[in-house]
Structures are given as structure tokens and as C-alpha cells.
């Protein structure tokens, strides 16, 4: 199999890894994981054009952020199959369908089983590896059951204070294979923490015997700690070496399993990707060093010596402080609730976005005008602002919004579109008129709509802040927003003082 130095697709080097994120905040989670291991990564927010790909010829990894988590199976079929086929042409040995580390999904919305079916049909392979755990984010899978932290506690998924009450896809089952069985008829098997014990040769042998005996189409890998996760990474690379490309479903645990071996050591030569006409940092922009893969069992994962240009501050922490921060929150998680409260105590102005006023067409324009004027006033006075739709899962506005949607013939999931579009419009006007440099968006669906309104087509990682919430550089077709710094945060991500950490550009 050819090395990365020899493998070319058109005029660009073959990427080490490609991924599709089923929501926007989760996609930046992968961006952060690869950045931490020195891999120059570009995340596109829609399927990239050849011209856009050409602006980042040195990218070691390429991602596409989507909204698969909010789609029906029919919508996933229409969106994912052609996108998977396009990304397959880039020639990466690993293709990752990225899902949330809390695995929230259902047969009717964001079906992980449906994505696995499409991926296996497009990419082939003996089986689809499934990895949900991420020790770095305090997510664990043990004997097939999934656990996630909230605050200082680790909960079984079906008892998790947020995920068990998720407004669209509540998780009532912690056994991930049983959960997947409701979404797909694919045969499945578990590779448990006991199977991962011992020397690597023995671990590989156990997986071979499992594959031969049970002929699974999905294999779920337990994840308890970094040591076992590294072994799972080696197994995936061995599988890639056997068949050329392996399709993997999972959280950013996939990147933490693989990136140490993909990253290797940085190589010199060449400059970062062209700026693409925008302001701010280069395409490298803190992304990652060009790298060679260590002995992962796949020659295709070996990076070429001079193909990857040097990158600024790879894996670095911290950024400059800004005088004011705009926060857009469509999240109803308890952690976001705590973060809003903490921000208010430090002087942020919190402005509630009345969802009912956005749903009612006759009130929408008036509601938007009031919100814009209030936010502009506070920001012009030098204060940071939080525009939020709900203060935690118990906020009565959530149920009132659902009732209003139902009364007007909308589906519950339409709330994301109505709210996200409005918040994106607010962000666009505030950034353009006031010259804001940094924006934080809380909530996966909201992040997708906000970036769309800003004309952002790609992100690269600028700095680490807190796990799951990196500071990103936006690449936009609109020069007013090109170079804007963005943090796209999942609802549960970050400490109580996360908003202020983002404004200051550092944790301490």
C-alpha cells in the first residue's frame, strides 16, 4: 500500500482521516482532539467545493459538520449517502461518523443505526467498529453499558440528569447494543474490557476469533481508560491495513484512540494553507503539525515527510482576551443554566429570547427588533451579553414553546429551525454592526444555524480552553465574518465559569 507521501488525490495529499459530525458542537469536539495531537485539521460546515478543498492542501484531516442527529432516516438517506461517496473519493484510510459521546439518538430521529447501514454499504468492511466512550470527557462504556459525568458524578446513561430527559431523544437505555437494536437489524457483538486485557497480540487474536465466530456487522468496544482505548485504536488501524478503508461510528473517542499514532512527530517544509482571502490567522491557525503515523499496522496511515506544512501553536492553550463576548444559547442543559447564572454574577447582561414570540409570525419582527436593540445597547456599553432561550431543563418556556408549535401545526423538532434561524440572524447583525471579535454558541442545532447565517464555510482550531469547547477560527465567504473567533459548545460542556474563560481566552 502506498505511503501518504506518494498517495495523491488530484493535487492534494490524501488525508489521514475524514469525518462527518452529526451535529456542529460535536464536530468541533473532534477538531479539538486532532488539534491536541498536532494534526492540521479543517472542519467544513457543508460539503466542500473543490475550490474550498484547494485552499487547505496541507490538511492532514478533513471533517464535515452536519445535522444528522436531528434528521429522520429518510432525510439521512438523502443527505449521508451522496456525502459519504464524495468523501470516500478523498482516499482516507479512516472514515469516522461522529456521534455524541452520550449516544443520544432514536429510531426516528438521528438514528445511529441508519448511519451505520449507509456507511457499511458505501465503505464496505468486515464490520463497523463502534466507540462511544471518551475518558477525557468522562464518558465510559463498561460491559456494553454507557456512563457519563454530570458535575462531580458519573451516571449510568438512563439515569443521567440531562440525557434521560433530553427533549428530543431521551435516553432510556444504557445498554448500547440494545439501544442500537431498535435502530438497525445489523448483527452486533461486544468487545469488552476483559477482551482488551493483556498483550496486543492476544487482544488482536480475540477480535479475530470474535469476527470469525459471530460474523458481526457492528462491534461495540468498551472504553474505560486511555490504555485500553489506545489498544482499540491499534485494532482499528490494523483493520484499515487489512481492507484499505475502515468506516467507524463513535464519539471523539475514535480520535483519542487513533490520534497518538496518526500524529507522530511534526515535519518541516512548506507553509500553511493559503489564507483564502480572509483576515486573521493562516489556515494552519493553530491546527496541527503535518505528521507521520506511528506503527499502527497500516502503511496507508504514514504521512509524507514534507507534505504537511508547519502550523502555529499546535496543541496550544489560551488566546488573547476580548473586551466583550456575545453568547448565543439554545441549550436547555443544567450546565448551561449554571453557566448563564455564573455569567450574570460577573456582570454579563442576560436577555431571554421568547420562543413563543418567534413562533408567532405576527409577532416575530417585533420580537427580533426588541432583542436586537437590547443586545446592542448592552454591548455598546461594553458589557458581555447572553441571549438565551431557556434557563435549564425545568424552564417553563420549553413546554410553552412545544405547545405553541403544536397549536400551529409544527413538529417538536421544528423548534430548532425557528429558534436557530432567529438567533443566527441576531448574531449576524450584532457582529457586523459592532465589530465583535468572539462569539460563543451553546447548543448543537443552534450552532449550525448561527454559522450558516454568518456565511462560515470552515473552521480551524486556534486554542484549547476546556474539554469539548475549543476556540476556533472561522473561514467565511463574507469578509465581515472571516477571521471571527467562535466557540461552539455542547450543552453539557464546560465548567460553571466557562463563558468568562472564553472571553478571557484562557481557563485561569
Amino acid at each position: 500500500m502506498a505511503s501518504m507521501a506518494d498517495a495523491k488525490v488530484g493535487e492534494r495529499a490524501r488525508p489521514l482521516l475524514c469525518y462527518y459530525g452529526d451535529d456542529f458542537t460535536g464536530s468541533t469536539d473532534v477538531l479539538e482532539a486532532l488539534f491536541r495531537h498536532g494534526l492540521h485539521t479543517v472542519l467544513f460546515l457543508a460539503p466542500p467545493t473543490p475550490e474550498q478543498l484547494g485552499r487547505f492542501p496541507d490538511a492532514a484531516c478533513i471533517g464535515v459538520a452536519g445535522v444528522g442527529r436531528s434528521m429522520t432516516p429518510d432525510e439521512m438517506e438523502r443527505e449521508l449517502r451522496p456525502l459519504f461517496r464524495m468523501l470516500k473519493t478523498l482516499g482516507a484510510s479512516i472514515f469516522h461518523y461522529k456521534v455524541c459521546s452520550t449516544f443520544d439518538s432514536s429510531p426516528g430521529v438521528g438514528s445511529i443505526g441508519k448511519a451505520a447501514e449507509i456507511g457499511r454499504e458505501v465503505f464496505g468492511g468486515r464490520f463497523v467498529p463502534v466507540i462511544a466512550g471518551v475518558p477525557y470527557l468522562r464518558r465510559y462504556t463498561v460491559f456494553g453499558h454507557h456512563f457519563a459525568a454530570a458535575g462531580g458524578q458519573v451516571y449510568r446513561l438512563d439515569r443521567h440528569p440531562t440525557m434521560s430527559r433530553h427533549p428530543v431523544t431521551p435516553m432510556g437505555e444504557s445498554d448500547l447494543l440494545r439501544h442500537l437494536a431498535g435502530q438497525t437489524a445489523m448483527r452486533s457483538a461486544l468487545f469488552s474490557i476483559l477482551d482488551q486485557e493483556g498483550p496486543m497480540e492476544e487482544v488482536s487474536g480475540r477480535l479475530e476469533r470474535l469476527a470469525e465466530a459471530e460474523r458481526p456487522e457492528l462491534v461495540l468496544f468498551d472504553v474505560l481508560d486511555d490504555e485500553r482505548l489506545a489498544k482499540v485504536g491499534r485494532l482499528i488501524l490494523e483493520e484499515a491495513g487489512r481492507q484499505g478503508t475502515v468506516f467507524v461510528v463513535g464519539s471523539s473517542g475514535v480520535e483519542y484512540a487513533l490520534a497518538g499514532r496518526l500524529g507522530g512527530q511534526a515535519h518541516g517544509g512548506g507553509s500553511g494553507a493559503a489564507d483564502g482571502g480572509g483576515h486573521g490567522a493562516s489556515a494552519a491557525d493553530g491546527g496541527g503539525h503535518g505528521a507521520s503515523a506511528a506503527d499502527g499496522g497500516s502503511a496507508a496511515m504514514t504521512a509524507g515527510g514534507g507534505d504537511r506544512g508547519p502550523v502555529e501553536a499546535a496543541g496550544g492553550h489560551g488566546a488573547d482576551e476580548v473586551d466583550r463576548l456575545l453568547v448565543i444559547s439554545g441549550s436547555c442543559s443544567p450546565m448551561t443554566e449554571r453557566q448563564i447564572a455564573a455569567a450574570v454574577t460577573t456582570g454579563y447582561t442576560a436577555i431571554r429570547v421568547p420562543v413563543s414570540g418567534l413562533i408567532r409570525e405576527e409577532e416575530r419582527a417585533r420580537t427580533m427588533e426588541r432583542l436586537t436593540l437590547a443586545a446592542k445597547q448592552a454591548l455598546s456599553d461594553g458589557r458581555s451579553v447572553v441571549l438565551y432561550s431557556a434557563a435549564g431543563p425545568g424552564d417553563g418556556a420549553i413546554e410553552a414553546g412545544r405547545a405553541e408549535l403544536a397549536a400551529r401545526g409544527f413538529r417538536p423538532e421544528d423548534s430548532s429551525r425557528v429558534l436557530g434561524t432567529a438567533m443566527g440572524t441576531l448574531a449576524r447583525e450584532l457582529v457586523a454592526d459592532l465589530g465583535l471579535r468572539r462569539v460563543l454558541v451553546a447548543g448543537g442545532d443552534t450552532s449550525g444555524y448561527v454559522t450558516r447565517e454568518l456565511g462560515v464555510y470552515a473552521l480551524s482550531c486556534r486554542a484549547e480552553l476546556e474539554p469539548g469547547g475549543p476556540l476556533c477560527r472561522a473561514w467565511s465567504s463574507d469578509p465581515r465574518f472571516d477571521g471571527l473567533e467562535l466557540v461552539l459548545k455542547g450543552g453539557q460542556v464546560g465548567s460553571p465559569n466557562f463563558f468568562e474563560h472564553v472571553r478571557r481566552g484562557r481557563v485561569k
Side-chain angles (χ1 to χ4, degrees):
M1 190 174 294
S3 73
M4 283 292 303
D6 300 323
K8 299 283 183 176
V9 179
E11 297 182 357
R12 59 166 296 117
R14 183 175 296 172
L16 301 171
L17 176 148
C18 286
Y19 73 95
Y20 171 92
D22 74 350
D23 84 335
F24 277 65
T25 57
S27 299
T28 61
D29 181 18
V30 172
L31 191 65
E32 176 189 38
L34 294 168
F35 173 75
R36 293 188 80 235
H37 290 86
L39 287 162
H40 176 199
T41 303
V42 177
L43 172 64
F44 292 97
L45 305 190
T49 65
E51 179 187 9
Q52 289 171 342
L53 279 170
R55 292 174 185 164
F56 305 92
D58 299 325
C61 304
I62 293 172
V64 176
V67 290
R69 191 181 306 178
S70 62
M71 290 181 176
T72 66
D74 287 343
E75 291 169 337
M76 295 175 80
E77 177 68 37
R78 291 192 295 271
E79 164 124 342
L80 298 183
R81 192 176 297 275
L83 179 58
F84 286 4
R85 286 172 175 161
M86 184 277 285
L87 291 172
K88 183 180 180 181
T89 66
L90 299 181
S93 291
I94 304 292
F95 184 86
H96 175 199
Y97 182 80
K98 198 277 179 187
V99 302
C100 183
S101 58
T102 49
F103 226 68
D104 43 310
S105 57
S106 74
V109 178
S111 171
I112 296 171
K114 177 63 176 179
E117 291 171 0
I118 297 170
R120 189 157 190 259
E121 290 167 9
V122 172
F123 292 95
R126 293 196 301 171
F127 56 81
V128 175
V130 179
I131 301 172
V134 197
Y136 177 65
L137 299 179
R138 301 175 69 203
R139 309 286 195 264
Y140 312 97
T141 311
V142 182
F143 296 112
H145 288 264
H146 202 52
F147 299 81
Q153 302 271 346
V154 175
Y155 297 88
R156 203 175 72 186
L157 198 58
D158 56 339
R159 298 178 181 176
H160 192 278
T162 302
M163 300 318 302
S164 63
R165 297 188 290 165
H166 191 284
V168 179
T169 51
M171 295 298 291
E173 176 58 74
S174 65
D175 184 328
L176 297 187
L177 290 183
R178 289 191 65 180
H179 181 69
L180 284 172
Q183 302 176 15
T184 178
M186 295 173 73
R187 296 186 304 278
S188 62
L190 173 67
F191 199 73
S192 75
I193 54 172
L194 299 182
D195 295 319
Q196 299 165 24
E197 291 290 338
M200 195 64 214
E201 184 178 351
E202 293 181 9
V203 175
S204 297
R206 292 186 194 111
L207 181 59
E208 284 304 304
R209 290 190 290 276
L210 175 71
E212 292 173 7
E214 299 190 29
R215 301 288 178 186
E217 297 167 287
L218 291 167
V219 175
L220 173 66
F221 290 86
D222 272 356
V223 176
L224 179 60
D225 51 40
D226 290 332
E227 180 183 356
R228 290 180 179 86
L229 185 59
K231 289 182 179 180
V232 173
R234 290 189 64 177
L235 293 173
I236 291 173
L237 290 177
E238 289 172 2
E239 198 67 19
R242 175 182 292 107
Q243 60 196 38
T245 300
V246 62
F247 174 79
V248 187
V249 169
S251 66
S252 60
V254 172
E255 280 66 34
Y256 286 103
L258 296 170
R261 293 185 170 272
L262 298 183
Q265 61 181 11
H267 293 278
S271 61
D275 194 320
H279 305 294
S282 70
D285 199 1
H289 296 1
S292 64
D295 52 338
S298 172
M301 306 311 290
T302 303
D307 283 42
R308 312 292 186 200
V311 224
E312 177 186 348
H317 293 266
D320 293 338
E321 182 174 318
V322 295
D323 58 348
R324 56 204 167 150
L325 177 71
L326 173 62
V327 179
I328 304 284
S329 176
S331 166
C332 60
S333 81
M335 180 50 72
T336 303
E337 178 185 13
R338 293 177 65 190
Q339 289 163 344
I340 294 171
V344 170
T345 65
T346 59
Y348 284 55
T349 297
I351 302 171
R352 178 182 285 276
V353 177
V355 179
S356 296
L358 298 175
I359 295 170
R360 298 172 190 145
E361 191 171 351
E362 66 275 14
E363 295 182 24
R364 191 174 303 155
R366 228 172 22 253
T367 299
M368 292 290 288
E369 184 178 1
R370 286 198 303 269
L371 291 168
T372 303
L373 286 173
K376 278 186 177 179
Q377 182 63 58
L379 289 163
S380 297
D381 290 344
R383 298 196 301 274
S384 294
V385 167
V386 182
L387 288 163
Y388 70 101
S389 60
D395 193 321
I398 300 173
E399 193 54 47
R402 287 179 187 156
E404 188 73 38
L405 283 167
R408 294 176 179 261
F410 290 102
R411 300 176 303 169
E413 51 267 35
D414 287 330
S415 62
S416 297
R417 175 181 54 79
V418 173
L419 179 62
T421 301
M423 288 188 151
T425 300
L426 289 167
R428 184 186 65 220
E429 184 165 345
L430 294 170
V431 172
D433 288 357
L434 302 176
L436 302 178
R437 292 172 47 206
R438 188 173 296 166
V439 176
L440 187 160
V441 188
D445 291 339
T446 307
S447 295
Y449 287 103
V450 169
T451 52
R452 183 180 305 167
E453 290 293 325
L454 295 173
V456 176
Y457 67 83
L459 298 172
S460 53
C461 196
R462 175 161 279 172
E464 294 177 71
L465 295 174
E466 294 189 33
L471 182 66
C472 297
R473 191 266 200 221
W475 298 83
S476 174
S477 54
D478 188 327
R480 297 175 299 171
F481 310 124
D482 195 38
L484 179 69
E485 293 181 335
L486 286 174
V487 173
L488 308 180
K489 151 193 140 56
Q492 301 174 77
V493 166
S495 65
N497 292 317
F498 183 65
F499 294 0
E500 186 62 3
H501 294 163
V502 172
R503 188 192 67 80
R504 289 162 49 196
R506 56 188 54 81
V507 175
K508 294 183 179 179

